[in-house]
Amino acid sequence: MTLHHLKITASDHVMVVERLLQVTRYRGFRLCGLSMLPGEQNDLLDIQLSVESDRSIENLTKQLLKIIDIEQIKVEDQGLQTYQVSEALN
């Protein structure tokens, strides 16, 4: 199984973490770690999510970006190279 680290910027709404975890589970990824802190702006959260699966990480990121409160996702591969997946258009 491949381990992936996602850095997610999301709106600070009540259900965002629940939706994030639900989509992660539905897409067949195992949660390995979760960290959440207030973002630089008061209305944002900085979420770090570590997941493991044999499935494509692109499948998960596409689904997570459909959550309206998700603003940005960066994926860190095993070589610790970071790349930005997408930024939502507001």
Side-chain angles (χ1 to χ4, degrees), residues 47-86:
I47 303 169
Q48 293 190 9
L49 184 69
S50 296
V51 294
E52 187 177 58
S53 181
D54 290 329
R55 296 179 181 221
S56 168
I57 191 66
E58 287 80 18
N59 181 24
L60 177 61
T61 56
K62 285 178 187 177
Q63 295 304 313
L64 291 177
L65 285 169
K66 291 180 182 180
I67 300 173
I68 195 165
D69 295 323
I70 301 290
E71 295 194 10
Q72 182 179 17
I73 300 175
K74 292 182 182 178
V75 178
E76 212 171 76
D77 68 11
Q78 287 185 328
L80 297 180
Q81 295 176 347
T82 302
Y83 60 95
Q84 186 167 324
V85 174
S86 181

